[in-house]
């Protein structure tokens, strides 16, 4: 696809992230909740956790790992991601009721963490934003089919 180079730019820096999904996943979620405190309320399991307790919370790390593992699968699929995205979009629309804009917010958090922990530079961060733009546009099709207004 046209953005194939973007997938490769991001994947080049994925190693340090993949090396510790729970630690880096917790960093992503904590960054998301710090920059956008309202997003913590979207996670029923996390609503009661105080800011200062997020870093040591095993459930936060476990879910952060789940999120980054899925992101890794998406990156490696390089756009051929329909089979991955359909269940992901369906669960986020119907079960978790996550408005689409949150995927942009979490993308910004991943960019920051990859900048700090994996040396993803400004061009790499732009590449990640373009990749996630395609991912979210494809998720939006499923959201619309399901009648969920994200
Ligand atoms: O869809 C699933 O499996 C295919 C369920 C497990 C899962 C969830 C749940 C996965 C694989 C992901 N999320 C992946 C993922 C990648 C993108 C970047 N998520 Zn997810 N999520 C789950 C995102 C983005 C994103 C943004 C927001 C606000 N996600 C969320 C929220 C969210 C919630 C509330 C859940 C339900 C599980 C849970 O609460 O765990 C603590």
């Amino acid at each position: 696809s046209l953005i194939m180079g973007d997938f490769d730019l991001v994947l080049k820096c994925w190693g340090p992230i993949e090396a510790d999904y729970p630690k880096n996943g917790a960093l992503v979620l904590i960054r998301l909740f710090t920059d956008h405190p309202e997003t913590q309320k979207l996670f029923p399991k996390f609503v009661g956790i105080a800011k200062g307790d997020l870093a040591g919370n095993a459930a936060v790390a476990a879910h952060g790992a789940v999120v980054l593992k899925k992101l890794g699968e998406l990156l490696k699929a390089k756009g051929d991601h329909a089979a991955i995205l359909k269940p992901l979009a369906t669960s986020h629309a119907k079960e978790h009721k996550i408005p689409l804009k949150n995927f942009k917010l979490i993308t910004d958090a991943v960019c920051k963490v990859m900048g700090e922990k994996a040396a993803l530079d400004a061009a790499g961060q732009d590449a990640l934003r373009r990749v996630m733009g395609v991912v979210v546009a494809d998720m939006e099709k499923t959201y619309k089919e399901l009648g969920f207004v994200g």
Side-chain angles (χ1 to χ4, degrees):
S1 86
L2 282 173
I3 63 161
M4 188 62 94
D6 290 333
F7 287 102
D8 292 330
L9 263 185
V10 180
L11 282 168
K12 228 173 43 165
C13 293
W14 195 247
I17 299 302
E18 201 165 38
D20 196 339
Y21 276 150
K23 187 196 78 184
N24 291 312
L27 290 174
V28 166
L29 290 177
I30 292 164
R31 183 58 67 96
L32 176 68
F33 300 156
T34 303
D35 290 352
H36 307 281
E38 74 282 3
T39 59
Q40 194 174 330
K41 302 195 188 105
L42 296 168
F43 295 85
K45 288 196 214 170
F46 302 157
V47 278
I49 306 173
K51 281 264 159 294
D53 295 337
L54 286 168
N57 188 283
V60 171
H63 187 63
V66 166
V67 168
L68 285 182
K69 187 166 175 284
K70 190 57 69 180
L71 214 51
E73 287 174 33
L74 284 168
L75 290 170
K76 290 167 190 175
K78 300 188 182 192
D80 189 10
H81 53 217
I84 302 170
L85 271 194
K86 194 80 174 182
L88 191 71
T90 303
S91 77
H92 283 75
K94 297 197 73 161
E95 204 177 322
H96 314 313
K97 313 226 182 301
I98 305 298
L100 280 171
K101 70 160 190 287
N102 292 285
F103 291 93
K104 186 187 174 304
L105 301 183
I106 204 169
T107 297
D108 290 337
V110 174
C111 279
K112 287 179 179 173
V113 170
M114 286 193 75
E116 289 165 8
K117 303 293 173 188
L120 188 71
D121 64 10
Q125 293 178 34
D126 286 345
L128 178 54
R129 288 199 178 84
R130 284 192 295 272
V131 163
M132 288 304 289
V134 171
V135 165
V136 174
D138 285 345
M139 288 182 81
E140 185 171 19
K141 294 173 196 159
T142 301
Y143 268 55
K144 283 184 170 155
E145 283 165 18
L146 295 170
F148 183 78
V149 182

